[in-house]
Amino acid sequence: MPRERIRVRPFSLNIGDIFMKVKAFKAWRPAEGKAELVASVPYDVVDTRQAAELAAGNPDSFLHVVRAEIDLPEGTNPYCDEVYAQAKANLERLKTDGVLIREEQPSIYLYSQQMGEHVQYGIVATCHVEDYETGKIKIHEKTRRVKEEDRIRYVDTQNANTGPVFLAYRDSEKINKVVEAVKSTEPLYKFTAEDGVAHTVWKFEDPAVLEEAFGEIPATYVADGHHRSASAAKIGAMRRAANPNHTGDEPYNYFLAVMFPESELKILAYNRVILSLPGTKDEFCSALKDHFTIEANGIASPRKAGEICMYIDGVWSTLTPKYLPNESDPVAVLDVSILQNDVLAPILNIEDPRESNDIDFVGGIKGTAELEKWVKDGRAELAFSMYPTSMEQLFAVADAGMLMPPKSTWFEPKLRSGLLVNTLD
């Protein structure tokens, strides 16, 4: 899809320029008894084969919308015209068949997820694209053009946000009180998915209270969904430019988000596997000693920030940097930055991990045994186990207007798609 230059006219909103603009929306959501059948994993955590397996025998699965190529001939290019058209047709079918129903009034929702002992509560509402454009919705990661354009085309064709952007905000006592009050009410949905994560959704009776409360929040942070938020802003700009009567309050100015307080979020490590080396393993290990103290101790997971664990030739070792980065630089101090700057780029010639065929990434939810498996199966030469990035580090990078290396954070549990859909009309 060619990228067009869009002339953006400024907003003409009579809303304060300081705080967030959060709004209730008329959701499309599963009919009674359908939530567990509809709700699916996000589009970007499964490939086509995995999506097809998960949706097998379940025509109501939202995977038919977010991974519509599973309903087309095997080998179909997921970025071809037919996939976007099929996704739209599948979404319309769920509406027509009554699997999804439309709220009569705009609402805001509470969405909880429980994975083991960990529970997090998010506010589901829509956020204004102007807040993204002006930096009130802060980012910490670059987007890739091909993925951004895919999301632009997907949302534009669907005329809907079918998957929410995952946002974090600094804890608010006012919001916490509103959330506590709704927890004791009867939920709209409550089910446990096949992965053991429990999902519960409530509806706030008075969405204006939340709109006002978030109007006192100066910023939110994209935890996951950089491509979805970037594409929402581009679609808003496209439609704004095409509308001579634009006011800033049209539905296309808002995108679906789930906003969680920082204290409830859990970041896991995002580990690396090296698929090929530019030279021999001996050459690699020799070069590594210039930058790190290496201790072959059998420890698979870093015990603290500043340590990196490496698996090579059947042995786990702990790497400790010999030279510490500038502590005033919130990006340089990240363990993923140390690995990138002292190992991946200078020794392995991996300048841009997004584009390299010599590296892959494994979410920390799979554990270090998965890293060992990659190496033992011959899919990788070696693996690095990372210490998780903290929420404080994420906020510090975003507040400084800087960007982390790719794949710096892995949030778990993942948000389910299809529970609440926002249309741009």
Side-chain angles (χ1 to χ4, degrees):
M1 172 183 170
R3 174 170 291 192
E4 298 180 359
R5 297 186 65 183
I6 301 167
R7 187 176 180 181
V8 178
R9 294 183 292 106
F11 283 86
S12 57
L13 294 177
N14 295 318
I15 305 175
D17 293 329
I18 300 176
F19 300 114
M20 294 289 301
K21 293 178 281 293
V22 169
K23 189 176 181 180
F25 66 107
K26 294 176 68 173
W28 284 91
R29 60 181 182 83
E32 186 175 355
K34 290 288 188 178
E36 187 172 359
L37 291 171
V38 172
S40 78
V41 295
Y43 79 98
D44 54 354
V45 301
V46 290
D47 58 27
T48 302
R49 178 188 58 80
Q50 293 168 328
E53 290 175 354
L54 288 172
N58 180 10
D60 296 338
S61 171
F62 213 67
L63 285 168
H64 294 287
V65 176
V66 297
R67 295 304 299 249
E69 72 269 20
I70 66 177
D71 295 326
L72 296 171
E74 186 175 350
T76 296
N77 183 338
Y79 302 126
C80 72
D81 294 347
E82 290 78 9
V83 172
Y84 300 102
Q86 185 68 49
K88 180 176 178 61
N90 288 346
L91 179 58
E92 292 305 315
R93 175 182 59 80
L94 292 177
K95 295 177 182 179
T96 301
D97 291 352
V99 177
L100 296 180
I101 58 175
R102 185 83 185 267
E103 289 277 19
E104 295 183 0
Q105 299 296 328
S107 300
I108 291 179
Y109 305 84
L110 180 66
Y111 174 27
S112 83
Q113 300 169 289
Q114 180 168 356
M115 183 179 69
E117 297 300 315
H118 175 74
V119 186
Q120 56 192 37
Y121 294 87
I123 309 295
V124 189
T126 58
C127 294
H128 205 290
V129 296
E130 185 188 39
D131 287 343
Y132 180 89
E133 294 172 338
T134 58
K136 296 187 193 74
I137 297 174
K138 298 176 181 286
I139 63 172
H140 68 267
E141 190 175 286
K142 285 182 179 179
T143 57
R144 292 181 63 184
R145 178 174 175 176
V146 63
K147 290 190 174 183
E148 189 177 308
E149 289 178 344
D150 166 58
R151 288 300 91 189
I152 291 171
R153 190 173 180 190
Y154 177 85
V155 173
D156 199 35
T157 302
Q158 298 287 307
N159 198 42
N161 306 132
T162 56
V165 176
F166 187 155
L167 298 178
Y169 63 91
R170 297 188 186 278
D171 286 55
S172 161
E173 184 176 346
K174 185 172 185 177
I175 294 175
N176 288 345
K177 288 181 178 178
V178 181
V179 168
E180 284 300 320
V182 81
K183 286 181 187 178
S184 61
T185 64
E186 185 71 18
L188 293 176
Y189 310 122
K190 187 173 184 178
F191 64 93
T192 300
E194 69 281 348
D195 58 2
V197 176
H199 302 264
T200 310
V201 177
W202 297 263
K203 183 165 67 173
F204 291 98
E205 291 301 320
D206 185 3
V209 174
L210 271 299
E211 293 174 339
E212 179 184 349
F214 273 100
E216 299 176 6
I217 299 289
T220 58
Y221 301 78
V222 178
D224 195 8
H226 282 82
H227 291 96
R228 276 167 283 193
S229 54
S231 64
K234 296 289 177 58
I235 289 170
M238 289 165 54
R239 297 192 177 190
R240 181 161 81 238
N243 182 4
N245 299 313
H246 171 82
T247 66
D249 201 39
E250 297 87 353
Y252 61 71
N253 291 292
Y254 292 86
F255 63 90
L256 184 65
V258 184
M259 296 166 282
F260 291 90
E262 60 172 309
S263 60
E264 294 182 4
L265 292 179
K266 184 176 183 180
I267 303 180
L268 302 184
Y270 215 151
N271 300 317
R272 277 83 167 125
V273 288
I274 305 304
L275 309 184
S276 62
L277 299 171
T280 67
K281 289 182 180 178
D282 286 342
E283 290 171 336
F284 165 72
C285 290
S286 178
L288 197 62
K289 291 176 182 177
D290 292 337
H291 299 274
F292 296 89
T293 300
I294 305 173
E295 182 183 1
N297 53 17
I299 296 174
S301 297
R303 294 157 293 188
K304 60 183 180 180
E307 289 184 349
I308 298 170
C309 293
M310 177 180 69
Y311 186 72
I312 187 171
D313 288 337
V315 177
W316 280 105
S317 298
T318 297
L319 312 182
T320 305
K322 292 182 178 179
Y323 311 102
L324 296 179
N326 182 353
E327 292 185 359
S328 65
D329 186 331
V331 174
V333 298
L334 300 174
D335 290 344
V336 288
S337 295
I338 293 171
L339 182 69
Q340 177 62 40
N341 297 334
D342 291 348
V343 181
L344 300 187
I347 302 177
L348 299 177
N349 301 327
I350 300 174
E351 298 290 344
D352 186 350
R354 295 178 184 83
E355 305 297 336
S356 175
N357 294 321
D358 296 323
I359 188 171
D360 210 334
F361 304 87
V362 179
I365 191 68
K366 295 183 178 181
T368 55
E370 181 68 12
L371 302 180
E372 294 181 20
K373 190 172 187 297
W374 276 70
V375 176
K376 290 176 181 178
D377 290 351
R379 289 179 288 163
E381 295 287 340
L382 59 103
F384 294 105
S385 170
M386 309 301 297
Y387 193 79
T389 302
S390 69
M391 286 301 301
E392 291 79 9
Q393 288 175 318
L394 186 155
F395 285 174
V397 171
D399 284 339
M402 302 174 74
L403 300 173
M404 294 182 181
K407 312 295 186 182
S408 295
T409 57
W410 179 276
F411 285 89
E412 199 73 40
K414 298 296 183 183
L415 305 177
R416 289 266 155 166
S417 296
L419 287 175
L420 297 161
V421 175
N422 174 54
T423 53
L424 307 185
D425 55 17

